[in-house]
Amino acid sequence: MITSCSGSSSSQNLTWYKNSVITNLAEDPEKPAEFMRVSIGISPQVFYLSKKSDGYKTLLERATQSHKKGKAFDIGIENNTNIIKQVNEVHQ
């Protein structure tokens, strides 16, 4: 699996992990009511899904697909927070 990180900023101030697979998905042990902990890639980096964010159910659905089925997505992480803001289909 090849994972690339793009540092280009967009209007939403996101860092993109292109064509990436989520390797672990679990409730955050420190704040289970607020966050899901998400690991991306072979040497995992940890990011978070906020349970309070708009679109949480869709983000969680896609993260679950990636984790359980190995499906790759383009994942947008908000700069300076490690919070996942977008999980998009990979466009070839």
Side-chain angles (χ1 to χ4, degrees):
M1 178 186 90
I2 297 173
T3 300
S4 67
C5 175
S6 169
S8 62
S9 63
S10 69
S11 59
Q12 293 189 336
N13 200 27
L14 301 178
T15 298
W16 287 94
Y17 287 78
K18 302 283 189 174
N19 201 25
S20 297
V21 174
I22 291 172
T23 54
N24 195 22
L25 179 64
E27 282 192 337
D28 181 56
E30 295 172 17
K31 295 183 180 180
E34 294 180 42
F35 295 105
M36 293 293 291
R37 185 178 282 185
V38 179
S39 300
I40 298 173
I42 294 170
S43 51
Q45 296 183 31
V46 175
F47 301 101
Y48 299 91
L49 277 178
S50 173
K51 293 182 176 182
K52 298 177 182 179
S53 72
D54 292 339
Y56 168 72
K57 286 185 179 184
T58 301
L59 293 172
L60 181 61
E61 239 174 60
R62 290 180 178 176
T64 301
Q65 273 185 357
S66 182
H67 179 237
K68 290 188 175 179
K69 298 180 180 177
K71 183 173 181 177
F73 287 94
D74 291 341
I75 303 170
I77 311 294
E78 184 177 48
N79 294 336
N80 302 318
T81 67
N82 282 353
I83 294 177
I84 296 171
K85 293 294 186 177
Q86 293 186 35
V87 179
N88 300 333
E89 296 286 336
V90 173
H91 295 288
Q92 302 287 339

